[in-house]
Amino acid sequence: MVNRWADTPARMLEPLLLQTLEQTGSFRAIVRAPGVVPANIRLDTELVRLQQDFGTQPSKVQITLRAQLIDMTDQRVLAVKLFDETENAVSDNAYGGVITANRLLQRVLDQLSDFCINESVSPQALKSNTLSK
C-alpha cells in the first residue's frame, strides 16, 4: 500500500495555525504574510519534525515546531520556543500515525496560541495587536 500526503505538512499546518490563533480572540486581526495590512507582531514557524518511528513497539509519533515572535515596530525578537510532543501511535500503520499526529498537533497548537498571547508585547495591548503569520 502506498500512502501520500495531500500536500506538504507545513502547508496543511498553516490554516490550522491561523484558525487556532483567530479563535483566541486575543488579537485584533490575524493576517497572512506578506499582506497589505501592517502587523505589529509577526509569528515565524518551522515544522522541524513530523515523524512516525516504527523502531519501537508501539510506534511513536513526534511533532516538533519552532516558533519565533517578532515585534515589527522595534524589529526585535520577543520570544523563541520549541514545542515538542511525542506519543505512542494508536496503531502501527499510516492511519494510526495520522490519528496520533492530529492529536499531538492540537496540543502543540494550543501551546503555541498560549505562547503568542503570553509573549506578545503587553496584556493590555493585545487587543490592538495585529499578528502576521
Side-chain angles (χ1 to χ4, degrees), residues 65-79:
L65 181 77
R66 181 180 183 276
Q68 178 174 290
L69 277 175
I70 300 167
D71 181 327
M72 298 302 290
T73 306
D74 298 337
Q75 295 297 309
R76 66 182 174 93
V77 175
L78 295 172

Side-chain angles (χ1 to χ4, degrees), residues 5 8-10 13 45-54 60-67 81-87 97 100-102 104-105 108:
W5 289 96
T8 65
L13 175 65
T45 58
E46 176 188 3
L47 183 59
V48 177
R49 177 179 294 117
L50 172 55
Q51 173 181 317
Q52 184 173 5
D53 179 6
F54 292 98
K60 295 190 182 304
V61 177
Q62 182 178 13
I63 293 179
T64 306
L65 181 77
R66 181 180 183 276
K81 186 165 182 176
L82 194 67
F83 301 91
D84 186 55
E85 291 286 330
T86 303
E87 186 175 303
T100 306
N102 284 338
L104 288 173
L105 181 59
V108 167

Side-chain angles (χ1 to χ4, degrees), residues 62-130:
Q62 182 178 13
I63 293 179
T64 306
L65 181 77
R66 181 180 183 276
Q68 178 174 290
L69 277 175
I70 300 167
D71 181 327
M72 298 302 290
T73 306
D74 298 337
Q75 295 297 309
R76 66 182 174 93
V77 175
L78 295 172
V80 177
K81 186 165 182 176
L82 194 67
F83 301 91
D84 186 55
E85 291 286 330
T86 303
E87 186 175 303
N88 291 340
V90 296
S91 60
D92 288 331
N93 54 33
Y95 184 68
V98 168
I99 292 171
T100 306
N102 284 338
R103 195 166 37 219
L104 288 173
L105 181 59
Q106 189 56 57
R107 284 201 314 249
V108 167
L109 290 175
D110 289 344
Q111 293 169 20
L112 178 65
S113 64
D114 289 344
F115 166 75
C116 289
I117 292 166
N118 294 331
E119 298 298 333
S120 296
V121 186
S122 66
Q124 64 271 22
L126 274 176
K127 285 285 187 182
S128 65
N129 281 338
T130 301

